[in-house]
Amino acid sequence: MARVLAVTNQKGGVGKTTTAVNLSACLAECGQRVLLIDLDPQGNATTGCGVVKRVALPTVYQILIGRSTVSDTRLATDSGFDVLPANRELAGAEVDLIDIAQREYRLRDAVAGVREEYDFILMDCPPALNMLTVNGLVAADRVMIPMQCEYYALEGLTDLVATLKKVRAKLNPTLEIEGLLRTMFDPRSTLTQQVSGELEGHFGSKVYRTIIPRNVRLAEAPSYGKPVIAFDRSSKGAQAYLLLAQEVLDRRAGKPDAVQAAAALGMQP
């Protein structure tokens, strides 16, 4: 049965889509069967997988309103994983779901039929607490939280944890935080080091040992419609996500301290 991970943060620009796409590719590289669900109307995860979102039909939108199934919507990518694409029409789902019964459970119910076909299902959630994000959190087993090590990120994290507690209390009692992922990490910044230390002190083992560095190749890869391991496998960004994939696998196998990825990258805070 697949482990379903929602990659989410209410703050934008923290590396959610970059993480969802590249972790999917790296898990597939490790031999895992992976499905990536693009829940953001911007469709950046779709584009990052090499799918032309303007012509991608059907999409997650049709799944949510009951006009398509996961099996009929998923597309195979060149990187060895499947994707449920999204485009601008997904923004209309917020309105269309208003009159639908059990609207918070639409995605969970749709994904239930294919969970045995995958090892991991990742969801790229939009940077807002809307019905799309709620559907993702209700469908998820666990939440992965990418975040930058800066002051405002700590404030946003407090709000996000409060939101997750509400979802757990009212809609998904089994929802857990899988881990916090430090992204766009610059070890030269004193503030970055301080915030990173605070995260480790407060959340302990919930903080991934892997650190994603600020890396030009990571930023360039989406413009070519490729995950970074297909664009420049030797880059620090690609190596970081490969290490993250191994850490995710180790955590699932009950070995949370098996990978000292940050140290391996020379960026231990």
Side-chain angles (χ1 to χ4, degrees):
M1 188 74 73
R3 171 165 288 186
V4 184
L5 295 177
V7 182
T8 187
N9 192 325
Q10 290 165 227
K11 190 176 186 300
V14 297
K16 290 187 299 296
T17 299
T18 297
T19 295
V21 171
N22 288 295
L23 180 56
S24 294
C26 290
L27 285 170
E29 177 86 358
C30 293
Q32 302 297 295
R33 301 167 300 166
V34 181
L35 173 65
L36 172 61
I37 302 176
D38 190 351
L39 284 177
D40 193 335
Q42 295 181 79
N44 290 335
T46 301
T47 302
C49 295
V51 176
V52 181
K53 61 185 178 183
R54 295 191 306 274
V55 298
L57 285 172
T59 67
V60 173
Y61 173 74
Q62 279 75 29
I63 292 175
L64 291 174
I65 63 175
R67 294 182 185 171
S68 186
T69 64
V70 173
S71 297
D72 292 335
T73 304
R74 61 190 172 190
L75 301 172
T77 70
D78 292 338
S79 298
F81 62 93
D82 294 341
V83 61
L84 294 183
N87 57 29
R88 214 173 302 171
E89 68 177 356
L90 184 57
E94 194 82 14
V95 175
D96 294 333
L97 288 172
I98 290 176
D99 297 324
I100 297 179
Q102 300 286 296
R103 57 185 179 271
E104 297 92 350
Y105 300 92
R106 301 291 291 183
L107 184 61
R108 184 198 67 177
D109 294 344
V111 168
V114 298
R115 285 191 63 159
E116 293 185 356
E117 300 178 31
Y118 295 99
D119 299 303
F120 287 92
I121 297 176
L122 275 65
M123 296 176 289
D124 180 28
C125 297
L129 183 60
N130 54 24
M131 189 52 61
L132 295 172
T133 300
V134 169
N135 262 268
L137 295 178
V138 171
D141 301 319
R142 295 169 180 256
V143 176
M144 177 182 289
I145 307 172
M147 60 180 295
Q148 290 180 260
C149 291
E150 57 184 31
Y151 175 74
Y152 288 126
L154 287 178
E155 287 194 335
L157 180 60
T158 301
D159 294 338
L160 177 58
V161 170
T163 296
L164 295 177
K165 287 181 178 178
K166 291 178 181 177
V167 172
R168 182 183 173 110
K170 297 181 179 180
L171 298 169
N172 184 359
T174 63
L175 185 66
E176 296 181 15
I177 294 178
E178 166 78 6
L180 280 71
L181 177 66
R182 291 163 288 183
T183 59
M184 305 179 198
F185 194 89
D186 184 354
R188 298 169 298 178
S189 166
T190 301
L191 177 61
T192 294
Q193 303 267 8
Q194 291 174 343
V195 173
S196 178
E198 287 187 38
L199 287 175
E200 289 188 321
H202 186 71
F203 289 96
S205 62
K206 287 292 185 182
V207 180
Y208 287 104
R209 304 315 314 156
T210 306
I211 294 175
I212 308 301
R214 193 173 289 278
N215 182 250
V216 173
R217 305 304 266 173
L218 270 178
E220 292 175 339
S223 65
Y224 292 86
K226 295 179 179 180
V228 70
I229 60 167
F231 179 61
D232 185 354
R233 190 184 183 89
S234 64
S235 66
K236 278 195 172 183
Q239 294 303 306
Y241 276 110
L242 284 167
L243 288 167
L244 176 63
Q246 188 59 57
E247 185 173 2
V248 168
L249 291 172
D250 286 338
R251 286 191 177 212
R252 186 171 188 181
K255 299 182 291 183
D257 298 321
V259 179
Q260 296 298 323
L265 283 172
M267 290 181 292
Q268 183 68 45

